[in-house]
Amino acid sequence: MIRISGVASLLMIMLAMVFAVSLPAHAGEPVEKAASIQTFDDCASFNTDLNGDGAIDVADLLAVKKCIHDGCSDSAYDVDGDGAVNEADADIVLKCIELRRTQRQ
Ligand SMILES: [Ca+2]
Ligand SMILES: [Ca+2]
C-alpha cells in the first residue's frame, strides 16, 4: 500500500508540473499586467471603459476583442497604454469585469 501511494503521489507531482508548465497560455507580459490588478480600484489606472458608458462590462471586452480581431491600432482600445492593441488589453478588461462582479462595485 505504501508503495502504491508513493507512486500515486509521484504521479500527482508530475501532473502538477505538467499543468504548471502548460497553463500559462499567454506570453509573459500580458499575464503579468492583468495579474498586477488586485482590486477593482486598480482598474482605474487603465482605460477600461472603451465605449464610454461609465461601466466596465462585456461590451468593453467585445470592443477590444473586435479591435484585436480586425487588427486595428486605434489607441482608444489601448487599455494599458503601451502603444499596441492586443490580448494584454483584453486580459485587463476581463480581469476588471471579474473584479467588478466579485467586489460588487
Ligand atoms: Ca463601458
Ligand atoms: Ca496595449
Side-chain angles (χ1 to χ4, degrees):
M1 288 300 278
I2 290 166
R3 184 177 174 142
I4 289 169
S5 70
V7 170
S9 11
L10 190 64
L11 276 173
M12 292 289 281
I13 291 167
M14 287 173 71
L15 271 176
M17 287 171 71
V18 168
F19 275 112
V21 170
S22 63
L23 268 182
H26 303 79
E29 195 180 353
V31 173
E32 285 172 28
K33 275 183 188 161
S36 74
I37 301 171
Q38 298 297 317
T39 69
F40 188 73
D41 290 340
D42 295 339
C43 296
S45 55
F46 296 101
N47 173 37
T48 46
D49 182 16
L50 297 168
N51 61 2
D53 67 352
I56 302 169
D57 56 27
V58 71
D60 302 303
L61 182 61
L62 287 175
V64 69
K65 282 285 192 185
K66 183 177 189 312
C67 182
I68 295 166
H69 179 266
D70 295 347
C72 90
S73 54
D74 190 337
S75 63
Y77 299 101
D78 184 13
V79 177
D80 58 10
D82 69 348
V85 181
N86 53 35
E87 288 296 330
D89 302 301
D91 285 348
I92 291 167
V93 175
L94 180 61
K95 181 78 176 273
C96 290
I97 291 171
E98 288 171 355
L99 285 171
R100 177 171 161 264
R101 192 166 50 207
T102 55
Q103 298 179 9
R104 297 269 173 223
Q105 292 199 32

